[in-house]
Amino acid sequence: MARLESLDYLYPPSRDVAADAAYLTDVLGGRLAFAIEDGGTRVAMVELGAGQPAIVLNDHLGGERPILVYRTADLAATTRDLAVRGWSTEHTLEIPQGPVTTFRTPGGQRLAIYERSRPFVLDSFAGRRDF
């Protein structure tokens, strides 16, 4: 059975990424890893605690619920295994770190699994402050 390795990211939609990032860093004491603006889209990663999933604020994700993003060693094998057990894919896409498959639980929770095939990308974003 394919396994989920870790919950790496909480990916919540934000109406104001800069304000939410400032709140998480200034009020809650988080560390801003990066704040990127590209093509009118804003994304900011904030780390609130060691060993905790990073919060990736974004203004392009629809809906009100965050996506919980889990890492797996083999996306294709995990996807096949989960399909046999009754899940159905919502979307497939790419994030900078690698390929992603999203799905929803029967109660509407948003989840994703990804394969970290490009781990070096986060290092290239480190310290970037576009806003």
Side-chain angles (χ1 to χ4, degrees):
M1 178 171 72
R3 304 277 317 197
L4 303 181
E5 294 180 2
S6 62
L7 174 59
D8 286 356
Y9 307 107
L10 305 176
Y11 203 83
S14 172
R15 289 183 291 276
D16 188 336
V17 174
D20 284 341
Y23 183 87
L24 292 174
T25 56
D26 299 344
V27 176
L28 297 181
R31 184 185 79 79
L32 183 66
F34 61 77
I36 296 173
E37 184 167 10
D38 186 16
T41 297
R42 286 184 163 188
V43 177
M45 179 183 282
V46 178
E47 298 164 339
L48 284 179
Q52 302 299 314
I55 298 172
V56 183
L57 302 161
N58 69 91
D59 63 3
H60 62 276
L61 182 64
E64 295 293 320
R65 294 183 182 195
I67 299 175
L68 308 178
V69 183
Y70 287 87
R71 182 172 9 119
T72 185
D74 186 333
L75 183 63
T78 302
T79 301
R80 282 191 305 273
D81 183 55
L82 292 173
V84 168
R85 292 191 273 153
W87 91 313
S88 58
T89 298
E90 185 174 57
H91 299 287
T92 58
L93 57 128
E94 292 280 330
I95 61 174
Q97 300 89 324
V100 177
T101 300
T102 67
F103 58 102
R104 290 181 192 257
T105 67
Q109 301 305 310
R110 300 166 80 179
L111 298 121
I113 55 176
Y114 85 105
E115 184 175 329
R116 190 167 56 179
S117 59
R118 297 179 292 270
F120 55 87
V121 172
L122 282 183
D123 291 338
S124 71
F125 291 165
R128 183 169 164 183
R129 305 286 188 274
D130 294 350
F131 57 91

